[in-house]
Amino acid sequence: PDYVFSGINDGYNVGYDIAYSGTMGAALEAVMNGIPAIAFSNTIHAPLDIAEEYLVPIAKELMEAGLEKGEVWNVNFPAVEKDQLKGILRDRYIAPLQFYSENYLEEKLPDGSVTLTGGGEPLTAEDAIPEGSDIAAVLQGYISVGKVKSMVL
């Protein structure tokens, strides 16, 4: 069957962050229209060396494996040099936390309006990350492969 490939997102789609991802949203939209999909993501502003080498073989593998109704494959490439890549971890589950801890700086303008500027820091390997999760995989230097299930299908 045909597949929709969404991404490569500039920023991981792991943990709760998938909830407001345009990349994951496009993949889920495809699934709602009966087209299987794979979402691909890389860390923010990172080179695409690992993705360039592994995206096509992983895509072929996942297309052959197939999906159940309402599922999307979710692939995240780690922020490591190509020679530091430890491999691929499959069947990663969605970590029950945010990777990007966001907060907002509020500034009141002279006209009474308010601007909000986003900020925050991503998780690191020193944080408490659940083993077997998508976040643990990328922080440990692995390509993370897992599934996301649409809650409307």
Side-chain angles (χ1 to χ4, degrees):
D2 293 332
Y3 266 74
V4 166
F5 288 0
S6 184
I8 297 174
N9 189 60
D10 188 26
Y12 291 137
N13 279 314
V14 293
Y16 289 163
D17 297 320
I18 64 169
Y20 42 85
S21 161
T23 301
M24 187 57 66
L28 289 166
E29 184 71 23
V31 168
M32 288 192 311
N33 285 283
I35 304 167
I38 306 172
F40 296 95
S41 301
N42 205 38
T43 190
I44 294 177
H45 309 305
L48 295 171
D49 300 353
I50 292 172
E52 287 173 351
E53 184 171 332
Y54 288 91
L55 188 142
V56 171
I58 288 173
K60 287 180 180 177
E61 172 191 331
L62 299 181
M63 289 170 66
E64 288 176 17
L67 290 161
E68 297 294 322
K69 182 178 179 170
E71 292 179 335
V72 170
W73 286 111
N74 187 26
V75 179
N76 285 274
F77 300 103
V80 297
E81 296 295 325
K82 202 156 85 170
D83 64 347
Q84 299 296 309
L85 178 67
K86 293 181 180 174
I88 302 170
L89 292 177
R90 294 163 178 81
D91 300 320
R92 301 298 92 186
Y93 70 90
I94 300 165
L97 64 154
Q98 288 182 279
F99 182 80
Y100 301 101
S101 62
E102 288 143 356
N103 54 52
Y104 297 92
L105 176 64
E106 182 178 311
E107 179 185 355
K108 293 185 182 191
L109 301 178
D111 66 1
S113 63
V114 175
T115 63
L116 297 174
T117 304
E121 297 295 322
L123 294 172
T124 68
E126 286 75 45
D127 292 308
I129 310 296
E131 276 304 314
S133 70
D134 50 4
I135 294 176
V138 294
L139 288 179
Q140 294 167 4
Y142 292 92
I143 297 170
S144 173
V145 177
K147 292 179 184 176
V148 173
K149 173 86 170 126
S150 169
M151 298 307 292
V152 298
L153 293 177

